Amino acid sequence: MAFIIKVINQLTPAIATSFATNVSAARLLMDPLITPLTKAQSKGILHVSAVREAETKAIRSGIMIAFPVTMPTGLTIEQFDALTQEQEDTDAQQAHYASLAAELGNHGMIIRNNRFVYAMQALDIAGLLGKNSTTIAAADKLIRDEFYSKTSSSGETDYTVALGGSTTIGGVKTGKYLTNMGDTILLVINVNGNVMDTLTINPGSGKLIPLNWSNIVVTNKSTTEAGAFSVFMK
């Protein structure tokens, strides 16, 4: 059941401005560090796993330090260690900003939920008041025709999800498939549902929407590409 979540502290316009200022300052530091990659470089770059990272460290101590003659031409152990420090500093900054992004994402999900629940409450009230008011009834019908009517003979409606973003949808027909039509992984959960029940839907596949999941949140795991899916609506 959808409900309002009490927010302890609000993200005020003043706080948003402070965030923007700090992000701008961080952007000034980050821009000079960006290294444009060619298609060949992007395709050939090595993604070093934890095992390969351990191998790199072992080679440093067991080969480079023990036998300096093995050092690649033009590279000193000091330069190699400087790269190690740069990697550690980069990873630390990434973790820092990823943590902030995750926390902002959670805050945004709560606020988005509250707005949607309030809006649905208003729509329900409009449905009741519309019985005695033709103008309210007309406005209520306009909303329901736009968002709850079938858009195709199959009853499916297409949606997109911003990169790294989420979208909340009400009026989903349960027991029907939500189909991932994009190239990203999607996470689907009932509004205010248990995270342990989250559905993971890979590209080109679909899963049945469980009973009572008429209001859902769809999250795009990719931070580099928008997601796309279709779902049956009531």
Side-chain angles (χ1 to χ4, degrees):
M1 179 179 179
F3 53 86
I4 297 296
I5 301 173
K6 182 176 178 58
V7 176
I8 300 174
N9 292 304
Q10 294 181 317
L11 195 160
T12 63
I15 293 175
T17 299
S18 295
F19 266 121
T21 300
N22 284 288
V23 169
S24 296
R27 172 53 64 187
L28 289 175
L29 295 172
M30 186 65 227
D31 281 346
L33 304 178
I34 296 175
T35 302
L37 297 177
T38 65
K39 288 185 178 180
Q41 289 173 325
S42 297
K43 185 177 180 180
I45 195 169
L46 299 177
H47 295 279
V48 181
S49 65
V51 174
R52 293 308 180 203
E53 178 60 30
E55 181 181 357
T56 302
K57 292 179 180 179
I59 291 172
R60 177 197 176 277
S61 60
I63 299 295
M64 292 177 170
I65 295 294
F67 307 100
V69 70
T70 63
M71 292 296 296
T73 302
L75 179 70
T76 65
I77 193 63
E78 290 77 17
Q79 291 172 322
F80 185 81
D81 287 346
L83 288 175
T84 300
Q85 184 62 53
E86 184 175 1
Q87 177 187 322
E88 292 174 352
D89 290 341
T90 301
D91 291 346
Q93 291 303 313
Q94 182 182 12
H96 172 70
Y97 282 100
S99 175
L100 289 176
E103 290 160 1
L104 283 170
N106 185 64
H107 188 85
M109 183 172 64
I110 293 172
I111 302 303
R112 191 175 292 109
N113 166 85
N114 290 352
R115 290 178 62 249
F116 180 69
V117 173
Y118 280 133
M120 294 302 293
Q121 290 174 352
L123 187 62
D124 288 341
I125 294 171
L128 294 173
L129 296 179
K131 297 177 180 179
N132 299 309
S133 170
T134 56
T135 53
I136 293 179
D140 177 67
K141 183 177 184 302
L142 188 66
I143 297 296
R144 295 182 187 277
D145 285 348
E146 180 178 358
F147 293 99
Y148 296 99
S149 62
K150 294 183 178 180
T151 57
S152 68
S153 59
S154 67
E156 287 182 277
T157 302
D158 296 339
Y159 291 91
T160 58
V161 195
L163 51 142
S166 298
T167 183
T168 302
I169 305 171
V172 174
K173 183 176 289 187
T174 61
K176 293 284 188 177
Y177 274 94
L178 183 150
T179 303
N180 187 345
M181 301 187 302
D183 297 319
T184 70
I185 296 175
L186 301 178
L187 302 179
V188 182
I189 190 171
N190 191 26
V191 170
N192 299 314
N194 190 328
V195 293
M196 299 297 293
D197 297 328
T198 301
L199 302 177
T200 300
I201 306 179
N202 294 314
S205 64
K207 288 189 178 179
L208 291 173
I209 299 297
L211 297 178
N212 302 319
W213 281 35
S214 58
N215 299 320
I216 61 174
V217 178
V218 182
T219 300
N220 178 15
K221 287 194 67 177
S222 174
T223 58
T224 59
E225 186 173 353
F229 65 94
S230 66
V231 66
F232 288 84
M233 305 298 294
K234 293 180 180 179

